[in-house]
Structure formats: structure tokens, C-alpha cells
Amino acid sequence: MKKKLLYAILLSFTINTFSQTTDCGNIVDDTFDETGALPNVWTEYNTSGRVTAESGKLKFNHNIDMPSASRTLTPISSNATFSFDVSASRNSVNCQIHLISSTGKYLSSIAIGLGPATIKYATSMEEEVPSGFTTGTPEVSFKTNTVYTLSTQVDFTTKKVKIFNNGKLMAANIAFLEDVEDIAKIDIQLIYMYANNGQFYFDNISLLSGEENRLLLASNTNEAENILNSSSIGSSYNQYPQSAVDDFKLAIDNANAVLNNCESNANTIDNSILNLQTAQEIFDATRVNNPVLKMYNALNFSGEEHEIYCGYYNGGLGEYEDWAVSFTLEKGYMATFAQDINGLGVSKIYIAQDNAIEINLPVDLQNTISFIRVSPWFPVGKKGSLGGDIKWSSTDNYNTTWHYSWGLTDQNSEGIEFVPMAWSKADSWTSLEKMEEAGENMSFNHLLAFNEPDNKDQSNLTVAEALEAYPKLLASGLRLGAPGVENIQYSTTNDSFNQDSWIQEFMDSCVVRGYRVDFIPAHDYVRRSKSSFLERFKGLHDRYNLPIWVTEYNYGNPNFGSANLTEEQGYTNIKGLTEVLEEADFIERYNWYYFFGASTGIGGMTDGKLNSTGQFYRNLESQNPSYIQEIYEQDSSLSITDLDINKIGIYPNPVTTATLNITYSGALLSHDTVVKIFNTNGQEVLTKTGKPIQIDISKLSNGFYLVQVISGDINTSKKIIITN
């Protein structure tokens, strides 16, 4: 029973490595290593010359005639596994892969991209063709330029199949589509591709016949090799000691020796399966995960101590809920605390980038924490790249240390940090399940909010709609960015922004509501000088005292009428804008939008290669780390509620009039009370003595300020925002 259960759960059927290293049970092993015409064992139909071998893959170049190809083989009727790798240049497609018998009947069919860009399997026959395509559980999306390994386990005894996607069970015990006794043909039909343009790629097409335990050992060995190859050696979180790596590799080598010996009997194979499983469990246990966060239930790291490992703790803290008062965090880690589950209420992120930190929690968080997330912190450079198509975002081309691709899942990281984005307010982007999934991913530090809400062709949100959806993003526990507006409205009047600015209304509302915003992304495509380009982002920073991410910028946008430039003109202007972003300390990250192409002079590629502008961007050595270590206040207040603890009231907030009112109701306050107001640069801009109750702030420009009240031994402060 145990072996059967392991078989159902663990058997990924990604058996390409096995089929390439042994002849035991190998029926088909097609790797398309030679570029050129279609191999003789494959037959193209519907088209001519549209199916070829290229760069080690079987390439289907789509047109309206539906390029298709099949491979006929000597019929086999024993239990078998069919496996292949697949990717495509588009996700709006319909490509179907069939297993067919010697009598021309269908055994099983998989459809790639059918419907809403998902991977499905057929459940019935209609008019003599596979039909009733349905998604498995869990449903798997089909993304552009992403390789998927799909496998079908065929059981001729029960006449059912199991289908796996990237090693995970997608569908179990699906009946054969027709009554068949063997497998005699592999058939691939590229039926549809958006705009009748694009390519499908297949690789490592294999068919392996064998008994269950040999197939299981093949799968487990391949899985173990993948784990080992993706493992990092070291003493930090998620790394493995060198000795553990050596021991695990020896166990894999022993399993491969049994696998490659076609004379290995069932007992030998079974023992090898158990030995490899034990070795993997031992290896997993050596993964580094030390308790990097230590919490204390008294100030100054005294009282009882509780250790926290890297992880996502959304409630479930048990006796340690509403417990912590102070904490220590080791260097190289990030911790998020919030009063309420799902990251709601007062929250704060702490990052120990340059050194370990010791913090007395803000008053608002002392004895109130129900949410904690602890993860490694990954310092990266300012310069980023935009994901999706490898030719645009690979580190070989642009020499970057991070990227994003307008989505929640990484498509093409190439070993660089990925920043997820909740593109719109829809549940598919902002649901609690999605945010928990993002929070549980220990490779994530940041989350970008809605893309261009002020653009009807993008997320297209009113401020009210964005404010309603934004709090859900806090459940990720990630360092959270505001929505990235299309173009920041800017004014040269006393206020740095036009009064109808989308981002101003959103940010002011977040302050009033107490929503945490950790950085502000923004875009700019207007052709302007370097100084005016930088000035508008400086105004945004100064108003909210938050770092800025310029997540899209270019010198114009040809889609909105910007005249084309020569490559030299594009190079000069992009170089100038990029250099001022690199030098400005308030700019934390930036991304040049280089997709426009050669004809505009402001794109990065010409004839499929980096042009002079693209080469400049690639060769620019960006500041790393881009994050500037914050100096944290100790035992302060984060909320904007009245300071009840000292019986002081400050209103209105936001301040929409020329007068700021102060109320005092505590007997401990003396008549020599002093009120000081500081701007976000820490400069004292106004002082009143003698226990003032009204302060004229008409000469202060709009923005954030800190009001400090000093009375005898009492010294407290409160944030306000002036918007008159």
C-alpha cells in the first residue's frame, strides 16, 4: 500500500533523463539534436516545411493550414509512460497531442492553451475526435515562453490514464477515450494560434515501457537530481552543507546504477527506491532554517524569549499572539508585523540589510501582533528588466539583478530576483489565497500593486476602487508598492501635484486610513529634460517621504504620437534619463521600457540584437544595494489616531484649513508646553510655546509633517498631512 501511495503522489513521469541514459524499456527517445528537416521517423501533414527541428527542439511554425506531425511506432500493449516538454511563443493557442492505437482509435489526448490559456485533457469522443476537454486539479495556466513537462501514465489493465504536469498530478484514473489494446502513434496537431502567427516547441518526447517499480525509480531518481541541481551550498537560509550534498549525490548515483542495469530484479529496485527516499528525507532535513527572529515580551529584549523561523504566520501564533514587545533580527532578513490577521491594522516592515537590528516595537504593535512574515532579504541593484520574452529580459542582455513581468508568477527570472504584481483589483489577482501564496514564497520581498489605474486600457480603477482592493494586498506581508500610475501629474505651483492627481488622492487617503505603503512606483513617457524628468519624481518623494520606483520610463511613446528618433538621438536621451535615475538617492529602482524597437530610436533592439542604447543599458553598473538601510525609531507610535495616552488631541487630520487645533486634557501637562512642527527632511519649520491651542499653518506647503509636543517629561509626536 505504501509503495502504491507513493507512486500516485510522487511519480512525476518526467523520465527524459532515464530514457536518455538507459535502453531498459525505452521505445521512443526523441531529442531533436540536429537542426534542419523533420527527422525521418516523423511525418508532417496539412503543411509542408512548417514542422522542423531547430535548436534541439521540434518546431511547429503556425499558419492557417494547421501544421501537424505524427510518429508511428511498433505497437506496444504493456503499461507505459508518455512524456514531453512543450512551450510556445503565445498563450492564446490550441495544440492537441494524441496517443492513437494501431486501429486508429484514440487512447488519450491533451490540449495545450485551449480556452482560457490552460492545459486540459479530453474526456469523451464526439464525431470521432477527442472532445470534452477539461482542466485538471489544480488548474494549470499555459504561459508564453514557459516550458512545461507533461506526462501520461498508461495502464492497459484498468484501461485508464493518469496525467501529470511538471511532476504534479493533474488528473487521475481517466478512462481511455476508446477501446484500444495498444499504442502505435503519437500525433501532434497545432490547430490554432492567435493572429495565425507564432511557434510551438516540443522536446524530449519519450515513450517508456516497464513495470511500475522501475518507472517509479526512474521518476524518483529524476526528481532527486532536479532537487540536487537546484540546491545551493552554504550556511544561509535554504542552503545545504557541502557534506549533505555529497551524501545525496552518492545515493542518486547508486540509484542510477540500479536503474541502468536492465537485469536488476524487483527486490533490488524496491530497495533502491526506499534507500533513495531515505536519502532525500535526510537531505531535506539538512536545509538551513535557523530561528533568525527572536521576540521578547518586555522592552529592551528582556522577559521571555520566543524564536521564529523564516515563514508566513498569518494568525496561528497561539500563546504568542498579542505577546511581543521587542525583537532582534539577524542580518540578511526581513520581518513584517501586523496587528491583525491578513496583515491588517497597524503594520510595519523591518529589514536587517546592513547589520542585525534590535527593536523596541512601536506602541501600536506592542502586545497586539497577530501576523508575522519572516524571509531572507535579497539586496539588488537599482536597474531592472522587464520580463516575458527571454530576449528582452535575460541577464546576458541587460545585466540586471531583478525584474517583473506584470504578473504574480515568475516567467523568466534567469536567476535574478522576481517582483510579483497584483495587476488589477480582480480576485484572480488580489484574493486572500493569491496573497497567502505570495507571502509563503520566501524568494519574494516586494509586491507591486495595480498597473496604471489611471489608464482605461490597463487596470482602469478609480481611487475608491483601488482603496477598496488595496488592503487585501497586505495579506502578502511583502514590502508593498502603491499602484503605478501611467504618468505622474506635476505642477510647478506651490503644491508639487495638480489637485486632481490620481496618486495624490490615493496616497493621502492611505495616510488617513492607516494603510501601509512602503514605496511608490510610477511611469513616465513624456519627452522632457533630465531635470524636469527627475523633478516630478522628487516631488512625489518629498510629499510622502517614501522611496520611488520608476517602473516604466522612456523618452516618449510612439503609440501615442511621439515622433520617431534616430538611434543616436534615442541613445543620447535614454542615457541621460537613466543616469539621473541611477544617481538620485531617492530613486530605489527603475526599469527602462525598451520594447518599442529600432524604428523609434528609443528601443533596445535592432535586427534582433542590442543596439547602442541597449548596450549602454546592459553595460551600466547599477548601485547595489538599491535599498538604503532605514534607521528605525524605537518605542514610537505608527498610527494617526489621537494621542490618548498623553491626553492630547490634534485635528483636523488631514489638515484642510489654515489652522491646526491642539487640545489638552491631561493634568500632567505644564503651561510651558512647546509644539514643534518638522518637515519630512527633519527640518523644524514652526515652533509655538505656552501651551498653544491653535497654530496658523497657512504658510506651510501641502505634504507630510511631524508634530512634536513637549511638556515636562512628556515628549510625544504625531504625523499629519496638510492638504489645504
Side-chain angles (χ1 to χ4, degrees), residues 185-419:
K185 180 186 290 187
I186 300 168
D187 186 44
I188 303 175
Q189 300 175 351
L190 183 46
I191 298 171
Y192 168 78
M193 210 160 203
Y194 178 74
N196 289 319
N197 179 265
Q199 296 79 40
F200 246 88
Y201 297 93
F202 287 85
D203 195 11
N204 296 319
I205 299 176
S206 62
L207 183 65
L208 184 69
S209 172
E211 293 303 316
E212 184 174 290
N213 64 347
R214 180 174 286 277
L215 294 177
L216 177 58
L217 180 58
S219 175
N220 287 0
T221 304
N222 188 54
E223 179 187 18
E225 289 176 337
N226 290 337
I227 291 172
L228 185 63
N229 291 336
S230 62
S231 300
S232 175
I233 300 172
S235 58
S236 299
Y237 171 78
N238 217 30
Q239 294 183 323
Y240 296 85
Q242 180 66 62
S243 59
V245 170
D246 294 340
D247 291 344
F248 192 33
K249 184 178 185 305
L250 178 60
I252 294 172
D253 290 343
N254 291 337
N256 271 322
V258 172
L259 197 60
N260 290 325
N261 182 1
C262 296
E263 302 300 320
S264 296
N265 59 36
N267 287 336
T268 301
I269 293 173
D270 287 345
N271 288 334
S272 184
I273 290 171
L274 292 176
N275 291 338
L276 184 60
Q277 179 184 342
T278 300
Q280 184 169 326
E281 291 172 353
I282 294 173
F283 181 68
D284 289 342
T286 66
R287 183 174 66 92
V288 178
N289 186 12
N290 297 322
V292 297
L293 172 68
K294 295 181 179 180
M295 302 195 307
Y296 302 85
N297 65 350
L299 289 170
N300 301 315
F301 331 109
S302 60
E304 297 179 34
E305 179 185 280
H306 177 55
E307 296 180 334
I308 300 283
Y309 295 79
C310 283
Y312 178 81
Y313 308 93
N314 188 12
L317 293 175
E319 62 183 302
Y320 298 103
E321 187 167 335
D322 301 336
W323 185 85
V325 173
S326 59
F327 73 89
T328 63
L329 183 66
E330 290 186 12
K331 178 181 177 181
Y333 294 89
M334 160 182 154
T336 305
F337 302 96
Q339 287 179 325
D340 304 324
I341 61 171
N342 302 330
L344 297 175
V346 173
S347 64
K348 175 70 176 175
I349 287 180
Y350 294 89
I351 299 167
Q353 174 180 270
D354 298 340
N355 47 263
I357 56 176
E358 299 179 335
I359 301 291
N360 286 313
L361 283 163
V363 173
D364 316 77
L365 286 174
Q366 291 178 15
N367 303 122
T368 66
I369 293 171
S370 297
F371 176 100
I372 297 175
R373 181 185 184 271
V374 188
S375 73
W377 171 254
F378 304 101
V380 299
K382 282 189 172 186
K383 182 182 67 172
S385 53
L386 297 165
D389 186 344
I390 187 170
K391 71 181 180 183
W392 299 101
S393 62
S394 73
T395 52
D396 291 338
N397 281 351
Y398 288 117
N399 186 31
T400 61
T401 53
W402 72 278
H403 84 135
Y404 76 97
S405 57
W406 298 277
L408 287 168
T409 55
D410 191 358
Q411 300 226 355
N412 184 32
S413 68
E414 294 283 313
I416 63 178
E417 185 196 48
F418 173 72
V419 178

Side-chain angles (χ1 to χ4, degrees), residues 86-93 95 112 142-148 190 193 198-201:
V86 61
S87 63
S89 61
R90 295 184 181 275
N91 59 14
S92 183
V93 296
C95 183
I112 309 294
F142 182 69
K143 298 181 177 65
T144 303
N145 298 317
T146 303
V147 177
Y148 296 83
L190 183 46
M193 210 160 203
Q199 296 79 40
F200 246 88
Y201 297 93

